[in-house]
Structure formats: structure tokens, C-alpha cells
Amino acid sequence: VVARDEFKSIKLPGLNKKAILEEVTELRSLVHKMPLRPTSASLRGRYAKLAYKLYEQLIEPVKPYLSGRKVFISADRSLYSLPLEILISKEKRRSYRKMPYVGNDYAFSYLPTATSMRFLRDKRYMGRREGWEYDFIAFANPEFGTRGRSESRSLMVRALEEQGIEIPELPETEEEVKKIGEIIGGKEKLYLRKEATEAHVELEEVGRARIISFATHGFLGTELTGRGILEPGLVLSQVGNKGEYDGFLT
């Protein structure tokens, strides 16, 4: 635990790497199933049990050292794929909406390495407006091509379906990025539906934007065995892609 004026090494008791991997994998699987079985009491109960168990193992032992709301996380192995916000601080099997999520208590930011914080805190880059062409660029509610005849669906969508993975449409993300844009202010550009493409990510040179938002589904490379993809990535529009673009941003 690294704070402003101190550093502490805390050993989490009773952790087993294999068990943690299995628990994280199952919890992520349950999250994928939620939209398909939103009223399942057994699914909700299993989610609550696992989410609380991981909270007890990972958050509770270090909670006395988390003095502020903002927490930076640099994880590895299976924990790198676990969004801590979805853990719960009490095992309450009420509706998903009313569960005591850790994300309500802390604002987590995830770092690939601890040293990357140095870059994030460099005031030459963060917070300044001059030099950016856009204040905000967003990609939201991509067209996944999941409707209509199966032969008209993209190769990516069909590969996911063969693995039993569904990618539901995300219409609410359009309103989400519009609201974010209002809060940020300044010059913005929103790519929605068929425009939220991998090609636009590259052609737009998103490095020219002060803030970038991707409101879509993400997958670990190991989840897409049917496509032979080993890297994690974001699913963008699956309609109208040409040439080297397959709509999966790695």
C-alpha cells in the first residue's frame, strides 16, 4: 500500500493463487450471465457469495489503510481481470441494484505498473487544455450485427455465439457519453452505432483528444479461443469493416 507519506507491505492471509483464479473466472462468468437471467435467485445468490468472499480476501485486510476515496490498483495474474467495483462489502442477496458494491465506496483507477502513476501525475499532461484538438472523443453503442439472419452476422459475432457468448446491444451508452461530454465541456466528437469502428479509432488519431471514452463490451484474449485471439480487446462496430479491420480493438 503506497500512500502520500508512507509505504506498507501487507500480506493477505490465506490466499491461494489457483483458488483466486477459479473464483475470479466464475465471478466474471456470472456477470456475463446476468443480462440473460436477471431474475434468477440462484445466480444472484452465487454472485453475492463469490463477490463477498473476494471482498473479504482482497479488500477487507487493507481497508484500514484506504484513507481516501481514490484508490489506484496495480494488479497481476487473475486479479488484473477483476474489476473490484463489482465486489460487495456484505453478503446480501437482494436485487443487484441494491447490493453494497465496493464501487460505491471507492473510485478505483487501474495501472499496468506502479511506475505509470508518475506519468499520470505529471501536470504537463493532465488537466491542460491547450495542445489538444478535442476535449472529448467517445465510441459508444457499436452496431454488433447480432440481429437478422445468421449469415449476415460478422465472423466475430458468430464465433462468440459458437462459444455461448452473447453480446447484447448497448443503447444506453449513447446517453452516457453525451452526458459525459456535457460535464467535460469543450470540443467533442462522438462515434455512435456503425460509426464506432476500429478504423475510426486509428484514423481519428485519438491521441489528439484530452479524454477518450469507449462504452462497449470488452473481452480477455483467453475468452475468445474460437478466434485464436490472445490479447484482450474491445468490441467495436461489426458492420461495414473492410480490409485489415475486424471490429476488435486490441
Side-chain angles (χ1 to χ4, degrees), residues 35-47:
L36 308 178
R37 299 166 56 194
T39 60
S40 171
S42 61
L43 180 68
R44 187 169 62 250
R46 182 58 182 162
Y47 173 86

Side-chain angles (χ1 to χ4, degrees), residues 37-65:
R37 299 166 56 194
T39 60
S40 171
S42 61
L43 180 68
R44 187 169 62 250
R46 182 58 182 162
Y47 173 86
K49 184 175 182 178
L50 265 181
Y52 178 62
K53 183 178 181 181
L54 284 165
Y55 168 83
E56 285 186 304
Q57 294 173 310
L58 304 174
I59 303 295
E60 201 166 63
V62 299
K63 189 174 181 180
Y65 306 99

Side-chain angles (χ1 to χ4, degrees), residues 122-132 134-135 210:
D122 192 328
K123 295 182 179 180
R124 291 177 299 170
Y125 299 97
M126 300 303 293
R128 67 179 175 87
R129 287 178 176 269
E130 64 276 9
W132 303 113
Y134 295 97
D135 289 284
R210 187 167 66 94

Side-chain angles (χ1 to χ4, degrees), residues 20 96 117 181 249:
I20 289 291
Y96 292 118
M117 184 181 292
L249 182 65

Side-chain angles (χ1 to χ4, degrees), residues 72-84:
F72 293 87
I73 302 293
S74 179
D76 66 353
R77 298 182 183 271
S78 59
L79 296 181
Y80 193 74
S81 65
L82 174 65
L84 296 175

Side-chain angles (χ1 to χ4, degrees), residues 2 23 109 119 194 247:
V2 181
E23 291 165 3
S109 295
F119 172 81
K194 293 182 180 180

